[in-house]
Amino acid sequence: MKISQAILPVAGLGTRFLPWTKAIPKEMLPLSNRPIIAYVVDECLEAGITDICFVISHGKEAILRYFEEDPALAKEMKRRGKEKLLTVLKTYEKAHFETAYQEQMLGDGHAILQAGTFVKSDMVAVLFGDDLFVGDKPGIVQLIEASHFIPEKEFALIAVENIPREKTNRYGIIEIENEVHGHPRLRKVKGLVEKPEPVKAPSTLGIVGRYLIPRSVIASLPDVQAGKDGEIRLIDALIAKLKTLPVYALECSGSRIDTGTPEGYAEAVRLLGMMS
Ligand code: UTP
């Protein structure tokens, strides 16, 4: 399946990084020689996705500036004969970026809904800015490859990883059905539970921030009931659609790091430092 569009919800407040995030979006924290968000955009480009919509909140425009063209700066670099820097400035020239604003941070599903008019294709990729994949094919590339094994035309596909049982209350957890013929790590999803206690978790497969979703899921978001915390979540839209939409999960290979916590970010700095 050819996926050409991606939504990157990056509007969150990043409270776990306060007071840093009063001044700088957490997605702009450096990892080796790039900000975190550049790894996510590079993942899209590696998957052949060049049409990208950032959902941001006011004050996070530094994310846009990193990717947008700056003709005046390019002209100045040219005048100074800095050919190498000119090439660096052109890194993202083949990508097309759009922006949607989330005025109130009412959850990741609500953020995705703000990008509704951007979506022109039947299926769209969703990548949360916090999750990074290290050491194997990027998560979204793995999802697109696995999608070829799915028999239905319309479906949702979620990236999952096997997590320690004591951590199930931090993840959306899937209840699995049978394996999909021909792919050992692709399974049909029977149920989804948000942050279950370890004893109640139907499996140890936790959802990580990569999805392929059809437009119909975005269209259903306005009807999704907000959770107790007032947040509208993508997982709740998928739970509501389970009866009518085939949902699949792929256990991704490689390491996944949640850079949305200071500990996860420190781990990412360590891992990427070792690799560079
Ligand atoms: P998180 O809950 O992990 O990120 O959301 P956060 O809200 O930024 O961080 P904390 O919890 O306050 O520390 C997962 C992803 O969804 C986006 C976030 O930016 C992140 O990429 N998100 C979350 C939104 O875009 N809007 C929201 O209302 C909530």
Side-chain angles (χ1 to χ4, degrees):
M1 168 166 292
K2 171 92 183 108
I3 305 285
S4 58
Q5 295 199 291
I7 301 173
L8 276 49
V10 286
L13 292 171
T15 52
R16 285 167 287 183
F17 281 94
L18 280 171
W20 182 264
T21 40
K22 277 167 67 194
I24 294 175
K26 65 177 176 184
E27 295 80 4
M28 291 302 289
L29 291 173
L31 272 181
S32 187
N33 61 347
R34 285 176 286 166
I36 292 171
I37 191 67
Y39 289 85
V40 183
V41 168
D42 291 352
E43 182 175 337
C44 290
L45 299 183
E46 206 172 321
I49 301 171
T50 51
D51 205 5
I52 295 168
C53 182
F54 295 111
V55 183
I56 66 163
S57 45
H58 294 283
K60 296 188 86 170
E61 289 81 4
I63 294 174
L64 313 178
R65 282 198 295 279
Y66 183 85
F67 296 99
E68 71 195 8
E69 285 177 36
D70 187 335
L73 185 59
K75 199 173 159 196
E76 180 61 17
M77 291 304 112
K78 198 167 181 188
R79 194 185 66 76
R80 294 185 186 191
K82 304 274 188 193
E83 293 303 323
K84 259 195 182 160
L85 289 178
L86 267 176
T87 314
V88 168
L89 288 176
K90 285 182 183 163
T91 306
Y92 295 104
E93 71 177 358
K94 289 208 173 74
H96 167 76
F97 296 107
E98 284 190 30
T99 310
Y101 274 90
Q102 188 184 22
E103 299 291 340
Q104 281 180 291
M105 273 51 89
L106 293 177
D108 56 53
H110 181 261
I112 293 163
L113 183 59
Q114 310 313 306
T117 55
F118 155 81
V119 181
K120 305 288 182 301
S121 49
D122 293 338
M123 292 284 282
V124 64
V126 174
L127 297 89
F128 289 143
D130 288 352
D131 280 323
L132 289 188
F133 284 82
V134 185
D136 206 328
K137 282 184 189 166
I140 211 71
V141 174
Q142 294 188 42
L143 286 188
I144 293 171
E145 285 178 1
S147 71
H148 297 116
F149 290 86
I150 295 176
E152 293 92 351
K153 208 169 162 263
E154 197 191 45
F155 60 87
L157 178 54
I158 309 171
V160 295
E161 70 169 347
N162 208 353
I163 54 154
R165 186 163 276 276
E166 63 271 19
K167 290 189 178 165
T168 57
N169 55 2
R170 297 192 208 162
Y171 288 79
I173 300 291
I174 61 162
E175 188 181 349
I176 44 175
E177 247 176 52
N178 43 331
E179 253 173 32
V180 172
H181 186 68
H183 199 302
R185 288 178 289 107
L186 181 64
R187 294 202 170 81
K188 188 125 190 224
V189 173
K190 204 196 282 182
L192 295 156
V193 200
E194 179 70 341
K195 300 183 177 161
E197 287 308 317
V199 284
K200 291 195 177 149
S203 77
T204 52
L205 293 173
I207 298 177
V208 293
R210 300 291 182 271
Y211 304 79
L212 298 181
I213 55 168
R215 259 154 73 164
S216 62
V217 168
I218 299 178
S220 73
L221 282 166
D223 303 322
V224 172
Q225 278 245 280
K228 279 187 216 124
D229 53 5
E231 295 209 350
I232 295 167
R233 293 213 169 78
L234 177 58
I235 183 174
D236 291 323
L238 291 170
I239 291 172
K241 280 210 137 264
L242 257 179
K243 281 202 183 95
T244 52
L245 178 76
V247 178
Y248 291 85
L250 176 73
E251 192 182 337
C252 287
S253 55
S255 312
R256 200 264 323 184
I257 319 168
D258 176 9
T259 64
T261 64
E263 309 73 50
Y265 173 62
E267 174 69 357
V269 170
R270 196 182 63 78
L271 275 175
L272 286 156
M274 280 184 342
M275 289 167 75
S276 62

